[in-house]
Amino acid sequence: MWHAPRDVRWEERPDPVVQLPTDAVVRVVAACVCGSDLWTYRGARPPADPHPIGHEFVGVVEEIGAGVTTVKEGDFVVSPFSISDGTCVHCRQGITTSCVQAQWYGGTDPDGRTLDGGQGRYVRVPLADGTLVATPGLPDTKQIPALLALSDVLVTGHHAAVSAGVGPGRTVAVVGDGAVGLCAVLAAVRLGAERVIAFSSHTDRQEVATGFGASDIISERGDEGAAALRDLLGDLGADAVLECVGTSESMAQALASVRPGGAVGYVGVPLGGAELPIKQMFGANIRVAGGVAPVRPYLPELLAEVLAGTLDASAVFDLQLPMDRVAEAYAAMDERRSIKTLLWP
Amino acid sequence: MWHAPRDVRWEERPDPVVQLPTDAVVRVVAACVCGSDLWTYRGARPPADPHPIGHEFVGVVEEIGAGVTTVKEGDFVVSPFSISDGTCVHCRQGITTSCVQAQWYGGTDPDGRTLDGGQGRYVRVPLADGTLVATPGLPDTKQIPALLALSDVLVTGHHAAVSAGVGPGRTVAVVGDGAVGLCAVLAAVRLGAERVIAFSSHTDRQEVATGFGASDIISERGDEGAAALRDLLGDLGADAVLECVGTSESMAQALASVRPGGAVGYVGVPLGGAELPIKQMFGANIRVAGGVAPVRPYLPELLAEVLAGTLDASAVFDLQLPMDRVAEAYAAMDERRSIKTLLWP
């Protein structure tokens, strides 16, 4: 429960039950803290009342509503961070984050019900058919971290890469060495990029980037970082730059790092005040694509590779804690002592 | 020659000659006034001294420098509105507008030479090999207007459509009923769009849009226009919106008209003050792509269709004047009495 800036507490709440025919109740097997949770934690928008927090989890279905048909009790499921019906006009276009019935963990539904957060023992999942994806059988415990990365961080990195048109032969630079940026490195490598350059000044994160397949590391930031990239690429920017932070500084670095005619794929939640400089984009034909990742439509393809063991972003979880130490998880990420912290119930 | 706001004059100047081995001198067969010339004409940036103006023309090569190999005396040529070497790192990526040797008609070259404007009897064309495209033979006079449209307006509309990913099955809306917007309609139809909706409140322009294949016309503007579009499309925005004006109002209308996950292709030269609202784009996964059109790489494909008679944007030229009445051409376009005015020497 989020009480106030830098005050997240582990508290007992009533176990959720099915309230609507389209609900499922999921027993959480693993959860984690998102970079966007940190913005909440730091108090960008202080709460009127304490409310549940967290939106990344995997678990086992405990109970389903009468209308649920695609998951059943006992199924192991991955939940995307956004709740969608899977049938509306936007879901059919693959933009489940714009679902006409979209709901958000820790938020409030249209009838005023509080939604559970993903950082807890049980979660009521509305619109379960449109939201959850079940694995064919029960995974091994050692696969859980890689599966958990599918609820947000890996798929968000993947969305940045797809949005920027990453593919074979492309040169890709990644701005942001948080968990999403590192996953964007992994996604770009998976999509066949010829060269993937990670901007990172932290040794531990550089190691993860290299482990995920980054070909080059640049430790400078801002205009110096962009200049170092040009030096590396023979005075040309990257074909694609993946912006995985969300500040105006990181977007400026991304725009300075892309070649004329190239693309910035962005998934960093934009913070206040940042607007895109259209004249700069216009003059150099830079396209900007991305946004809040529609995780659900990407899951079937990526889940198969995770289960096969060929796609594994679990190295971003460099700290694992029991869930009742959630406050410690937030503090560790806030102070950048942990890239991303996994919570076991 | 542009003297001052709303003061363009037809004046005698010395005939240009080859100054550099890479130059060609072209005798202009037809020229025209661009919407972007109007921003100059209206005095956004008043000139220190009178200077040549215009950047859209076709003509016949009169003389070439010793280093020119791809065009010869007597060739009929189309000139893109931007001058490029065709060999630099950006030209090789197809972004000729970002050429490291880029020059602009009516501007100044790196050594301080004034470049001719396209609205004149003769034009010295620097970097002729990288810039000009010759037709296989001499075209008929009746083909000249359609060929002239290749120097900017048709290709700029095409670039908006390509940038927004227009193709078969797509629903496309076009903001702006100037010559570029009308050409964007034609380009979207040519690329196989299933439905092309033109925003226009002027009967004469609506007729051109319909003649170019627009399936629907919406006369409302701004939020009302976007609402009318949603009504037409069953509460969904367009897959692609082509922004062909360049004001913050037109971009806002474009962003309001695109569906979540869709694209805005923009070619309207951005006017001061407009920035892109990244939060709106982020939430709905709207991508924004386009910029100053790299005409040259598009020419071989489009020129072949124009010569075959299957691609003809000449209906945008609703006024034709002798070139010594250039001041009248500007006034007619400035006062919106003409969509686009063609000038015969």
Side-chain angles (χ1 to χ4, degrees):
Chain A
M1 298 289 285
W2 181 46
H3 281 253
R6 290 194 164 75
D7 182 6
V8 166
R9 303 181 199 171
W10 178 251
E11 291 177 354
E12 286 300 320
R13 301 180 66 222
D15 288 346
V17 294
V18 164
Q19 296 188 36
L20 296 169
T22 49
D23 285 351
V25 171
V26 172
R27 176 174 57 80
V28 173
V29 170
C32 52
V33 179
C34 180
S36 69
D37 289 332
L38 288 183
W39 298 116
T40 306
Y41 177 75
R42 288 164 183 162
R45 295 162 296 162
D49 298 301
H51 70 71
I53 190 168
H55 54 256
E56 301 181 39
F57 64 97
V58 293
V60 172
V61 176
E62 288 274 310
E63 186 189 356
I64 57 171
V68 174
T69 61
T70 65
V71 298
K72 61 183 187 303
E73 285 174 33
D75 277 353
F76 185 92
V77 289
V78 176
S79 180
F81 67 82
S82 76
I83 296 159
S84 54
D85 64 20
T87 57
C88 81
V89 67
H90 301 310
C91 286
R92 290 198 307 272
Q93 300 277 3
I95 313 297
T96 48
T97 42
S98 293
C99 174
V100 298
Q101 298 195 73
Q103 297 179 39
W104 306 89
Y105 292 115
T108 306
D109 82 3
D111 298 319
R113 296 178 191 89
T114 296
L115 273 73
D116 299 317
Q119 292 153 7
R121 288 213 180 90
Y122 294 91
V123 178
R124 180 180 69 89
V125 178
L127 305 170
D129 278 338
T131 303
L132 299 172
V133 176
T135 57
L138 291 182
D140 288 344
T141 303
K142 68 177 193 305
Q143 292 181 294
I144 301 293
L147 287 163
L148 177 60
L150 289 171
S151 70
D152 184 342
V153 65
L154 172 58
V155 189
T156 293
H158 176 68
H159 184 56
V162 170
S163 299
V166 171
R170 312 301 276 178
T171 302
V172 182
V174 179
V175 176
D177 62 359
V180 172
L182 295 168
C183 285
V185 169
L186 182 61
V189 171
R190 172 184 172 275
L191 288 165
E194 187 174 295
R195 195 163 182 179
V196 180
I197 301 108
F199 287 105
S200 175
S201 55
H202 300 83
T203 311
D204 55 338
R205 293 162 192 247
Q206 292 174 352
E207 283 171 10
V208 177
T210 303
F212 281 173
S215 53
D216 305 87
I217 304 282
I218 292 176
S219 56
E220 293 91 342
R221 299 175 65 169
D223 286 345
E224 286 182 16
L229 181 78
R230 273 163 212 284
D231 283 347
L232 199 64
L233 299 179
D235 209 27
L236 187 68
D239 296 318
V241 180
L242 312 184
E243 195 288 300
C244 303
V245 182
T247 62
S248 50
E249 290 79 10
S250 58
M251 182 56 86
Q253 182 176 341
L255 291 168
S257 299
V258 69
R259 70 162 170 83
V264 172
Y266 73 111
V267 290
V269 182
L271 294 175
E275 303 289 352
L276 287 172
I278 192 171
K279 284 186 183 177
Q280 181 186 359
M281 292 166 57
F282 181 86
N285 273 281
I286 298 167
R287 68 182 184 282
V288 176
V292 55
V295 168
R296 181 61 181 80
Y298 289 123
L299 281 183
E301 176 186 1
L302 299 180
L303 176 60
E305 295 182 32
V306 170
L307 289 171
T310 55
L311 179 62
D312 185 353
S314 61
V316 297
F317 297 114
D318 60 348
L319 179 62
Q320 303 195 8
L321 292 172
M323 202 176 283
D324 58 6
R325 290 167 64 187
V326 62
E328 205 175 323
Y330 275 83
M333 285 178 61
D334 182 38
E335 295 158 18
R336 291 181 74 89
R337 288 182 281 113
S338 167
I339 300 172
K340 193 170 180 76
T341 305
L342 185 150
L343 298 165
W344 298 105
Chain B
M1 298 289 284
W2 180 46
H3 281 253
R6 291 195 164 74
D7 182 6
V8 166
R9 303 181 199 171
W10 178 251
E11 292 178 353
E12 286 299 320
R13 301 180 66 221
D15 286 347
V17 295
V18 164
Q19 296 189 35
L20 296 169
T22 49
D23 286 351
V25 171
V26 173
R27 175 175 57 80
V28 173
V29 169
C32 53
V33 180
C34 180
S36 70
D37 289 333
L38 288 183
W39 297 116
T40 306
Y41 177 75
R42 288 165 183 160
R45 296 163 296 163
D49 297 302
H51 70 71
I53 190 168
H55 53 257
E56 302 182 38
F57 64 96
V58 292
V60 172
V61 176
E62 288 275 311
E63 186 188 357
I64 58 172
V68 175
T69 62
T70 65
V71 299
K72 60 184 187 304
E73 285 173 35
D75 277 353
F76 185 92
V77 289
V78 176
S79 179
F81 66 82
S82 76
I83 297 158
S84 54
D85 64 20
T87 57
C88 81
V89 68
H90 301 310
C91 286
R92 290 199 306 273
Q93 299 277 2
I95 312 298
T96 48
T97 42
S98 293
C99 175
V100 299
Q101 298 195 74
Q103 296 179 38
W104 306 88
Y105 292 115
T108 306
D109 82 2
D111 297 318
R113 296 178 192 88
T114 295
L115 273 74
D116 298 316
Q119 292 153 6
R121 287 213 181 92
Y122 294 91
V123 178
R124 181 179 68 88
V125 178
L127 304 170
D129 278 338
T131 304
L132 298 173
V133 176
T135 56
L138 291 182
D140 288 343
T141 303
K142 68 178 193 303
Q143 292 180 294
I144 301 293
L147 289 163
L148 178 60
L150 288 171
S151 70
D152 184 342
V153 65
L154 172 58
V155 189
T156 293
H158 177 67
H159 184 55
V162 170
S163 297
V166 171
R170 312 301 277 179
T171 302
V172 182
V174 179
V175 177
D177 62 358
V180 172
L182 295 168
C183 285
V185 168
L186 182 62
V189 170
R190 173 184 172 275
L191 288 165
E194 186 174 296
R195 195 164 181 178
V196 180
I197 302 108
F199 287 104
S200 175
S201 57
H202 300 82
T203 310
D204 55 337
R205 293 160 191 250
Q206 292 174 352
E207 281 171 12
V208 177
T210 302
F212 282 173
S215 53
D216 305 87
I217 303 282
I218 292 176
S219 56
E220 292 91 342
R221 300 175 65 169
D223 287 345
E224 286 181 17
L229 182 78
R230 273 163 213 284
D231 283 348
L232 198 64
L233 299 179
D235 210 26
L236 187 68
D239 296 319
V241 180
L242 312 183
E243 195 288 301
C244 303
V245 182
T247 63
S248 49
E249 291 78 12
S250 60
M251 182 56 86
Q253 181 176 341
L255 291 168
S257 298
V258 69
R259 70 162 170 84
V264 172
Y266 74 110
V267 290
V269 182
L271 294 175
E275 302 289 353
L276 287 172
I278 191 171
K279 284 186 183 177
Q280 179 187 359
M281 291 166 56
F282 181 86
N285 274 279
I286 298 167
R287 68 183 183 281
V288 176
V292 55
V295 168
R296 182 61 182 78
Y298 288 124
L299 281 183
E301 176 186 3
L302 298 180
L303 175 61
E305 295 183 31
V306 170
L307 289 172
T310 54
L311 179 62
D312 184 354
S314 62
V316 298
F317 297 114
D318 59 348
L319 178 63
Q320 304 195 9
L321 292 173
M323 202 175 283
D324 58 6
R325 289 166 65 187
V326 61
E328 203 175 323
Y330 274 83
M333 285 178 62
D334 183 37
E335 294 159 18
R336 290 181 74 88
R337 288 182 281 113
S338 167
I339 299 172
K340 192 170 180 78
T341 304
L342 186 150
L343 298 166
W344 298 105

